């Protein structure tokens, strides 16, 4: 896939602000600090287009990145960050839930999980929520370059077992450093547009 154009079209907080039209959308979701901005930057071949932050919980809107005027990468607020107030966490949760359940343009969710660690309870809850609504999901194990080659398969199996990955959902290891997994993500998008 060749990325010709990228435009942060809108940062939305409600359904009425979502882009109009029929373009496919791919939601990126994961806990705060899992590497969503680095994932976006790697996919679009830009260094700092999506701002990475040393402060987790910075994304507070649903951000629609228009790619090649063909599809959107949709970045949602990270979950599981304790320093965000309970009220805000609830608001984020309802905003994301509404998007996932009601958005017709949504083709697939990329659920980002830190490949170095066991999935958190929040990761498992999110995956179960997606399974309940039968949303096609790809698990993306971020920061895979931090795991030695001999541990890769063991780590992968552990995450798949913890999540109880259903048949049809995929697992991709991903590194923004080595670009491992980027082509697999591109292929998934091209197959479902």
């Amino acid at each position: 896939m060749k990325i010709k154009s990228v435009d942060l079209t809108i940062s939305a907080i409600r359904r009425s602000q979502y882009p109009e039209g029929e373009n496919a959308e791919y939601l990126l979701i994961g806990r705060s600090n899992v590497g969503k901005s680095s994932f976006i930057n790697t996919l679009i071949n830009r260094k700092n287009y999506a701002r990475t932050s040393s402060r987790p919980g910075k994304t507070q809107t649903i951000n629609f990145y228009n790619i090649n005027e063909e599809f959107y990468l949709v970045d949602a607020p990270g979950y599981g960050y304790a320093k965000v107030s309970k009220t805000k966490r609830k608001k984020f949760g309802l905003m994301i839930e509404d998007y996932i359940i009601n958005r017709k343009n949504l083709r697939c969710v990329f659920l980002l999980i830190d490949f170095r660690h066991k999935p958190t309870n929040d990761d498992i809850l999110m995956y179960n929520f997606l399974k309940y609504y039968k949303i096609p999901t790809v698990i993306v194990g971020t920061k895979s370059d931090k795991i030695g080659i001999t541990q890769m398969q063991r780590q992968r199996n552990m995450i798949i077992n913890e999540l109880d990955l259903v048949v049809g959902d995929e697992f991709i290891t991903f590194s923004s450093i080595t670009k491992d997994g980027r082509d697999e993500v591109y292929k998934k998008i091209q197959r479902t547009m």
Side-chain angles (χ1 to χ4, degrees):
M1 177 183 291
K2 191 158 176 57
I3 306 298
K4 299 180 210 92
S5 67
V6 180
D7 178 44
L8 176 55
T9 303
I10 188 131
S11 295
I13 56 169
R14 64 183 67 85
R15 202 187 301 183
S16 62
Q17 297 173 320
Y18 297 166
E20 294 177 8
E22 304 294 315
N23 284 4
E25 294 173 4
Y26 299 87
L27 179 65
L28 316 175
I29 198 154
R31 68 177 180 76
S32 295
N33 227 15
V34 74
K36 283 189 284 110
S37 296
S38 297
F39 179 77
I40 293 167
N41 289 331
T42 302
L43 289 183
I44 64 175
N45 293 317
R46 307 281 199 287
K47 273 229 183 323
N48 290 310
Y49 196 88
R51 296 279 178 206
T52 55
S53 172
S54 57
R55 186 170 58 95
K58 195 158 195 265
T59 302
Q60 302 198 355
T61 53
I62 297 179
N63 299 319
F64 290 82
Y65 294 89
N66 187 340
I67 312 297
N68 294 343
E69 299 290 324
E70 294 174 344
F71 66 93
Y72 289 94
L73 291 177
V74 182
D75 184 20
Y79 53 76
Y81 187 56
K83 287 193 179 168
V84 175
S85 72
K86 276 187 180 170
T87 310
K88 251 189 190 155
R89 273 201 307 259
K90 187 173 182 185
K91 193 173 92 174
F92 292 165
L94 292 172
M95 181 171 60
I96 294 163
E97 191 175 306
D98 179 63
Y99 174 85
I100 290 169
I101 295 168
N102 296 307
R103 188 67 173 161
K104 301 272 187 275
N105 301 48
L106 178 62
R107 296 290 188 281
C108 173
V109 172
F110 290 102
L111 175 57
L112 278 62
I113 293 177
D114 191 326
F115 191 61
R116 300 171 299 176
H117 306 295
K118 198 168 136 176
T120 65
N121 287 339
D122 288 331
D123 293 328
I124 294 166
L125 281 171
M126 178 55 72
Y127 184 62
N128 287 337
F129 176 81
L130 295 168
K131 281 199 292 192
Y132 179 81
Y133 284 101
K134 297 179 173 54
I135 307 292
T137 304
V138 175
I139 305 301
V140 177
T142 62
K143 307 178 186 185
S144 65
D145 55 285
K146 309 273 196 243
I147 293 287
I149 230 136
T150 55
Q151 293 176 298
M152 293 286 272
Q153 193 58 48
R154 192 177 56 135
Q155 198 66 12
R156 181 187 182 94
N157 290 343
M158 181 269 293
I159 292 171
I160 287 170
N161 289 335
E162 285 289 319
L163 293 174
D164 193 17
L165 198 71
V166 298
V167 174
D169 286 347
E170 297 170 49
F171 188 106
I172 297 172
T173 53
F174 190 90
S175 167
S176 57
I177 306 294
T178 66
K179 314 294 185 255
D180 174 50
R182 182 174 65 180
D183 289 343
E184 288 176 74
V185 173
Y186 287 161
K187 284 175 190 160
K188 178 66 178 179
I189 290 171
Q190 286 172 316
R191 281 198 310 268
T192 55
M193 267 193 331

